[in-house]
Amino acid sequence: MDTSTYINIHNLSRACNECQLQDLCLPLGLSRGDIERLDQIVNRRKPLQRGASLFRQGDRFQALYAVRSGSIKSYATTNSGEEQINAFHLPGEILGLDAIGSGIHPESSVAMETTSICELPFDRLHTLAHEVDGLQRQLLRIMSRELNSDEQFMRLLANRSAEERLASFLLNLASRFELRGYSGQAFNLSMSRSDIGNYLGLAVETVSRLFTRFQQEGLIEVDRKAITLVDRSRMSGLCNLSATASAGEPRHG
Amino acid sequence: MDTSTYINIHNLSRACNECQLQDLCLPLGLSRGDIERLDQIVNRRKPLQRGASLFRQGDRFQALYAVRSGSIKSYATTNSGEEQINAFHLPGEILGLDAIGSGIHPESSVAMETTSICELPFDRLHTLAHEVDGLQRQLLRIMSRELNSDEQFMRLLANRSAEERLASFLLNLASRFELRGYSGQAFNLSMSRSDIGNYLGLAVETVSRLFTRFQQEGLIEVDRKAITLVDRSRMSGLCNLSATASAGEPRHG
DNA sequence: CGAGGTCTTGATATAACTCAATTTGAGTGG
DNA sequence: CCACTCAAATTGAGTTATATCAAGACCTCG
């Protein structure tokens, strides 16, 4: 990999030490010294333009990536050519964990807007994790948390109505923005309606109609990509008050 | 934990070294010596009876568990009291990974039949992973693979028909049985129809009707819990030939 | 042998999809 | 700066897959 692909403008080259995302990202819980060691293996790459891909499905796994600013979507293409979005990644989030097992990326990742990325070469990271206990732990923690949110998401897809899915999605985004110090009250969607539909397992038209309805009901205000959550508590209500539970009774079976 | 809960009948006390599940489980890729070290921290517990729980949602996370024989289902209960099954675990599979992050089990696990389990106290495992490189790697690999299969499952829930879901489910079980040396051609379901429905996001009635239909179409033979896959290739066909893709086009957005 | 749960089957309702048409907006070039 | 183009989003009408409701059959276990 040519070093000319790395640039050094100060906003981008800022070390993990000084990065405001530290508390969300891999360095979390590491000592100052250990963060410095981690920092030494991190490559800070030239920002990706909208639509540019970070890696493609089938690529050999070499590094994990952390989003520094901007946003990324990950999707897989089935053999019949359909694409399914698996995740939207915000600053501080790690990509590529699902490739560790097989050594091959099972999905593609593209920037949804101008996005800068930190690259974490995995073999070096792995070696370092061997020496730095907190790093090993943090890697496991991050993966575990991801398993968790996948499970939650599976539950959402398995038995929630379109309304509940979209409401949950918006609230989830809101809280993630807030964690990062942005407003969860008002924000811009970096993804299209069709991306949202694809991600939530809904038709575009359904998403569009729901936005309209949520607005009519005074839950949100929508202007194109700009969303304002007007009545967040009522919206939370939508996520729990699910339809008459048809679920079986997991006791034994 | 009282040592009287551990028993020593040879089938159960057989060390990792001699365990036929070695190649599916945590020891995979470890040297003989390292397996012995792992073995020393493993507790082999008294088998769980059908319906008995291994841990409950909200319990403090202390150990990972490997299924030795039998099967386990994991489910979470929402605040509105509904239960959602997240996974069925077969021999050689690890449970509890989703609790590492928070230190609390986000789901409950119960035996679907008489089941024996190996307990892997996490702090000891973590310490050992520090010394045994292959173990660290294997832990990450296992979690990564799980992320992967979760993603696949999300895709299934997000845009597949009931037919495709059930077909995929049966084929998935079949290949997992085969990995373990059992027949993938003919096997017994340890879970109820309602568990299957819950897991796949379908009503029990739909599952039942599909079993009937699959049988009528000569794809499978069903007798209560006993399933025989008659035409596996045609069944695989069902999983790809999805309905007219309504998916958006993830390019940028 | 009876009771209670599980499974199946049928009839009906409905949420969400599909298809189709229109509107809106963003980007481009004259 | 305006007209034009193309993609994205919205809106409407009609269809359909699957849920829901209801009833009966079948096991399993005590």
Side-chain angles (χ1 to χ4, degrees), chain B:
Chain B
M1 217 157 281
D2 182 349
T3 54
S4 71
T5 58
Y6 304 104
I7 59 171
N8 228 353
I9 305 183
H10 49 251
N11 184 37
L12 296 168
S13 66
R14 193 183 290 150
C16 293
N17 268 323
E18 303 159 40
C19 180
Q20 297 185 322
L21 294 166
Q22 214 183 98
D23 293 349
L24 296 167
C25 192
L26 207 52
L28 175 59
L30 265 55
S31 73
R32 193 152 185 90
D34 287 340
I35 292 183
E36 258 166 40
R37 297 179 70 183
L38 174 62
D39 189 67
Q40 277 160 26
I41 69 171
V42 175
N43 298 322
R44 291 177 184 82
R45 302 175 60 167
K46 189 164 64 180
L48 295 170
Q49 292 308 304
R50 175 172 201 251
S53 71
L54 183 54
F55 52 78
R56 288 172 202 280
Q57 190 172 355
D59 281 0
R60 196 156 78 80
F61 169 65
Q62 284 167 317
L64 297 176
Y65 301 91
V67 180
R68 200 172 170 74
S69 69
S71 52
I72 295 273
K73 74 176 169 191
S74 299
Y75 62 93
T77 309
T78 67
N79 26 24
S80 42
E82 306 151 62
E83 290 173 326
Q84 168 66 30
I85 299 174
N86 290 315
F88 300 114
H89 301 275
L90 300 186
E93 293 173 349
I94 311 282
L95 284 88
L97 295 165
D98 55 3
I100 296 174
S102 62
I104 301 285
H105 284 287
E107 49 184 22
S108 303
S109 287
V110 313
M112 296 193 293
E113 58 192 310
T114 304
T115 296
S116 50
I117 293 287
C118 297
E119 186 185 60
L120 308 146
F122 187 67
D123 47 3
R124 300 231 244 154
L125 192 65
H126 190 258
T127 308
L128 189 58
H130 212 252
E131 299 164 24
V132 177
D133 187 62
L135 185 55
Q136 189 191 148
R137 199 158 206 123
Q138 178 63 359
L139 256 179
L140 291 176
R141 252 194 239 116
I142 286 174
M143 294 186 82
S144 175
R145 260 190 263 127
E146 189 139 336
L147 282 174
N148 238 293
S149 64
D150 282 0
E151 277 160 17
Q152 273 175 44
F153 190 61
M154 278 159 39
R155 251 166 271 156
L156 194 72
L157 293 175
N159 28 185
R160 302 309 180 177
S161 69
E163 180 181 271
E164 291 174 285
R165 292 186 205 185
L166 188 62
S168 299
F169 174 69
L170 291 174
L171 291 171
N172 176 260
L173 274 185
S175 64
R176 282 157 74 196
F177 283 130
E178 280 170 355
L179 261 180
R180 287 156 184 82
Y182 302 115
S183 168
Q185 183 77 16
F187 50 86
N188 279 295
L189 299 171
S190 56
M191 69 293 285
S192 67
R193 301 288 194 266
S194 128
D195 280 352
I196 296 173
N198 182 303
Y199 177 65
L200 295 175
L202 301 172
V204 199
E205 295 93 327
T206 303
V207 174
S208 181
R209 278 185 252 267
L210 282 171
F211 271 123
T212 307
R213 186 149 66 81
F214 282 175
Q215 180 159 37
Q216 282 166 357
E217 291 172 355
L219 287 164
I220 62 177
E221 260 164 41
V222 191
D223 174 25
R224 207 84 184 142
K225 305 259 182 197
I227 303 290
T228 309
L229 303 187
V230 177
D231 191 341
R232 211 155 153 184
S233 64
R234 195 144 54 91
M235 190 116 119
S236 305
L238 288 185
C239 302
N240 294 326
L241 303 172
S242 78
T244 37
S246 78
E249 304 191 350
R251 265 170 299 110
H252 52 263

